[in-house]
Amino acid sequence: MQILTHTGAQPGHSDPTAERTVRPCARDLQEHDALLPHRHPWGQLTFTLSGVLRVTAGRSSWVVPPQRAIWIPADVEHAIVVLEPAQLRPLKVHASRLPFPDAECRVLEVSDLLRAAIVALGEADSAHGTPREALLSELILDEITHAVTTPIRVPLPDDKRLRSLCAALMADPGSTLTLAEWAPQVGASERTLARLFERELGMSFGAWRQQARLAHAAPLIARGMPLAQVASEL
């Protein structure tokens, strides 16, 4: 397990500029590797060729398989945990060319064309910009704006006791502990935790746990795993 400060970049890569607005990165990560909370002045499309990530930003968490990517606006603090060994291929997008006008994170369906363009940009990237790189960058930006958004999101609380419980459940979505059994582990009564779930997350403990399990189930189903096996995994 590695604890990393940010996604970084391989030698020869740099941050986006007004002239080179989309820049690729590449890093292969192992299961349980984690990128600590960080932010940057450019937008980022967090995408993996293989493997599954859990991305957390603000009070939301998303499970991101290769069929999806998450758009993270500029200056939004976020963290990443690797759930399955991943070929991380994020794209940095200069602040002057952000594809969305607001500061909301979005989960996007990755089309075959977008995936191919991301791979091609990584292969075309060099120390100096080329016409091919510029064309691929424009294609990628256009595809991002036309991508289908997928509202699969797990809300997160502010209360540190409840956040501890939620973090433990996201790490082990198959846990069958009841709220009464969680209470002594996080230092709050069952009644307090139930009230916090309703107040901070707008749902019951059972409903939140189901949503977290569904988020983890999505990439398993997308890979063709039989539903009975998905249920067993979770």
Side-chain angles (χ1 to χ4, degrees):
M1 175 181 179
Q2 296 186 76
I3 302 296
L4 308 167
T5 55
H6 53 78
T7 52
Q10 295 293 351
H13 291 257
S14 62
D15 298 341
T17 65
E19 293 73 32
R20 303 178 73 184
T21 55
V22 181
R23 303 305 309 278
C25 298
R27 173 175 280 176
D28 293 342
L29 300 175
Q30 300 304 309
E31 186 174 2
H32 304 310
D33 283 354
L35 301 167
L36 296 178
H38 62 284
R39 66 179 75 220
H40 25 65
W42 56 81
Q44 180 171 291
L45 186 73
T46 299
F47 168 71
T48 177
L49 288 173
S50 64
V52 180
L53 311 173
R54 183 171 70 240
V55 179
T56 301
R59 293 184 59 186
S60 297
S61 180
W62 300 265
V63 177
V64 185
Q67 299 85 359
R68 301 192 184 99
I70 182 166
W71 169 253
I72 302 171
D75 295 315
V76 171
E77 186 175 82
H78 56 284
I80 297 173
V81 174
V82 181
L83 303 181
E84 294 182 3
Q87 294 176 288
L88 189 61
R89 299 295 184 268
L91 297 177
K92 304 175 181 180
V93 180
H94 191 262
S96 66
R97 295 299 308 276
L98 301 183
F100 304 108
D102 53 39
E104 297 296 321
C105 294
R106 289 173 167 84
V107 176
L108 309 176
E109 294 286 348
V110 177
S111 67
D112 291 341
L113 179 56
L114 179 55
R115 178 186 177 92
I118 292 172
V119 172
L121 182 63
E123 294 171 349
D125 191 51
S126 63
H128 304 286
T130 63
R132 176 174 172 78
E133 178 189 302
L135 288 170
L136 286 169
S137 296
E138 291 301 319
L139 174 60
I140 286 170
L141 290 173
D142 188 66
E143 276 295 291
I144 290 175
T145 60
H146 289 88
V148 175
T149 58
T150 305
I152 296 180
R153 161 184 176 272
V154 181
L156 296 176
D158 285 327
D159 184 271
K160 65 179 183 180
R161 297 163 297 178
L162 195 59
R163 200 173 182 96
S164 174
L165 189 162
C166 291
L169 268 177
M170 286 194 299
D172 181 19
S175 171
T176 59
L177 292 179
T178 65
L179 200 57
E181 290 170 325
W182 278 112
Q185 295 192 36
V186 299
S189 69
E190 179 183 6
R191 177 177 292 184
T192 296
L193 290 176
R195 187 168 61 250
L196 286 170
F197 266 104
E198 294 291 348
R199 187 180 72 197
E200 295 211 8
L201 302 176
M203 64 184 76
S204 68
F205 165 69
W208 186 91
R209 180 168 60 183
Q210 183 180 42
Q211 193 161 334
R213 287 174 174 174
L214 287 172
H216 281 265
L220 302 179
I221 295 170
R223 289 204 304 270
M225 181 180 289
L227 291 180
Q229 187 176 348
V230 172
S232 177
E233 289 281 339
L234 299 178

